Amino acid sequence: MGWGILRVLVAIVLVWIVVLVLMLAAPAAEFRAAIGIDPQAWFAGGAVLGLLLGYAALIRRARAAAVRRWGQADSPGLAALSDKAARVDTATSDARRTGWGEAQSEALDRYARHIVLREIGGPGQARLRDSSVLIVGAGGLGAPAALYLAAAGVGRITIADPDEVSVSNLQRQIIYRSSDAGRPKGLAAAEALRALNPLVHIQAMRRALDKNDEALIGEFDLVLDGTDRFATRAEIGTICAKAGVPLISGAISQWEGQLTLYDPSAGGPCFACIFPEAPSEGLALSCAEAGVAGPLPGVIGSMMALEAIKQITGAGASLLGRMLIFDGLYGENRTITLHRRKDCPVCSGVEQNDAEA
Ligand SMILES: [Zn+2]
């Protein structure tokens, strides 16, 4: 009949009231027998329906409020979002076909569980979208971190890894399929991330990073290091400290993992403050030598992603100046306090940024 939803609802409510009145009216016994429902059931049914409709209306209002908050957070950002969707360079013809409004609506649906979180909300989600993160190493730690950050809508993710996927990686690096064996890790990981979230821009680099990558690292808002070579970790720590880029660093061995946030520009220590020297031979065994429980890197890598989301959105308290140590074998967590070393050769010259402190 071309009626609007409001008119239909009013009509239903009127019919419901008329039937209820007829049922309650004295000579209504025949009518009641004819439709076979007693007044209590009719009343209860109407009440339940009313509650459901009221709940649906509340959800719609909350959603509309989220849309407004999203828009206020960064009004040109919506254009950037659909622009991002259009730039995705894989099999994302869907995203390319996506128009302006649809990209926004898809993002709202996709990130709805973040947007309702008080600590993230529309503004936090916009910050995630506008941020760029470098993930060094697409192994046990980098892979789950990358999955969660792509899923969370971090706008630009770059993965650097020189290795290829081997069958022995598949016991824990669940971003890869068996069919990825022999393929470059960065490439296979980037494919998986694009399939997970076509709204984010993913880049892969098929090489290790070293001390010459200062300019590259300086371009990012945040670096996640999940590599297992001490020399690489120390070099990344030095570059991040000097460039003023916060570094979330995770490590695992056998059943135990640890993670922290290094950021001397915010008053915390750098990697060299805590690990001034390389461990002696035999003390720091790699996963290949010492073994590692499959889900452990998933735990620590996911925690790295969690810390990254907190760092970008400003939610909660970061791990600046604290190291979280997780013992999977005994199910225990502990946190130790870390201090910046005054005579640290790496960060003693780094000025503390008052705005961030
Ligand atoms: Zn230092």
Side-chain angles (χ1 to χ4, degrees):
M1 287 187 286
W3 283 14
I5 182 78
L6 198 67
R7 275 176 90 175
V8 172
L9 282 176
V10 169
I12 289 173
V13 170
L14 282 177
V15 169
W16 181 77
I17 291 172
V18 168
V19 171
L20 191 66
V21 167
L22 278 175
M23 281 177 160
L24 295 173
E30 286 170 37
F31 175 75
R32 226 178 284 162
I35 63 169
I37 304 171
D38 59 22
Q40 286 90 342
W42 185 256
F43 182 78
V48 167
L49 192 68
L51 279 175
L52 284 176
L53 287 172
Y55 178 70
L58 271 180
I59 296 282
R60 265 213 312 281
R61 278 182 68 171
R63 204 181 140 94
V67 172
R68 281 197 301 278
R69 278 205 301 277
W70 177 278
Q72 280 159 3
D74 175 16
S75 37
L78 294 175
L81 180 73
S82 63
D83 180 45
K84 243 168 218 163
R87 271 190 286 119
V88 170
D89 51 355
T90 83
T92 54
S93 48
D94 281 354
R96 272 202 203 92
R97 275 201 305 276
T98 306
W100 210 92
E102 280 174 52
Q104 183 198 357
S105 153
E106 197 209 312
L108 280 168
D109 256 356
R110 186 179 282 269
Y111 308 127
R113 303 299 185 276
H114 270 166
I115 291 170
V116 297
L117 277 181
R118 187 163 52 90
E119 294 81 2
I120 297 180
Q125 193 61 47
R127 262 178 238 133
L128 288 171
R129 176 198 59 204
D130 297 337
S131 63
S132 59
V133 173
L134 171 67
I135 298 175
V136 190
L141 295 171
L147 279 170
Y148 273 115
L149 292 184
V154 168
R156 198 158 70 87
I157 299 174
T158 300
I159 302 175
D161 198 305
D163 295 336
E164 278 130 38
V165 180
S166 76
V167 173
S168 68
N169 296 150
L170 299 172
Q171 164 252 17
R172 63 197 179 284
Q173 297 175 19
I174 57 172
I175 196 173
Y176 305 116
R177 310 294 94 175
S178 293
S179 55
D180 288 324
R183 300 181 68 208
K185 278 189 172 181
L187 198 74
E191 258 180 37
L193 299 177
R194 286 171 187 143
L196 174 61
N197 188 354
L199 295 182
V200 300
H201 185 74
I202 312 286
Q203 230 184 344
M205 295 167 57
R206 194 181 171 179
R207 64 180 183 87
L209 296 185
D210 58 33
K211 53 182 174 291
N212 302 316
D213 286 310
E214 214 160 311
L216 174 91
I217 286 178
E219 287 173 18
F220 291 89
D221 300 319
L222 179 64
V223 173
L224 269 63
D225 181 12
T227 56
D228 57 2
R229 270 185 68 242
F230 183 87
T232 308
R233 294 168 67 79
E235 274 171 4
I236 291 164
T238 301
I239 297 174
C240 285
K242 291 190 169 155
V245 179
L247 167 66
I248 292 171
S249 185
I252 44 167
S253 181
Q254 298 188 326
W255 296 90
E256 197 174 272
Q258 60 185 45
L259 74 152
T260 187
L261 167 73
Y262 296 116
D263 191 0
S265 68
C270 78
F271 182 87
C273 290
I274 311 304
F275 301 105
E277 282 166 22
S280 49
E281 287 286 316
L283 266 181
L285 295 173
S286 71
C287 285
E289 296 160 309
V292 61
L296 180 73
V299 173
I300 304 297
S302 303
M303 282 178 157
M304 289 169 74
L306 188 65
E307 290 305 315
I309 289 171
K310 283 162 58 187
Q311 175 70 17
I312 294 166
T313 61
S318 75
L319 284 177
L320 185 75
R322 295 185 299 151
M323 179 177 281
L324 196 150
I325 299 168
F326 172 72
D327 182 341
L329 197 53
Y330 294 97
E332 283 171 1
N333 256 330
R334 61 187 190 279
T335 309
I336 56 171
T337 306
L338 305 178
H339 296 288
R340 195 170 167 185
R341 279 199 308 140
K342 282 200 179 68
D343 59 342
C344 173
V346 171
C347 72
S348 51
V350 174
E351 288 294 319
Q352 188 173 328
N353 182 345
D354 288 331
E356 282 179 49

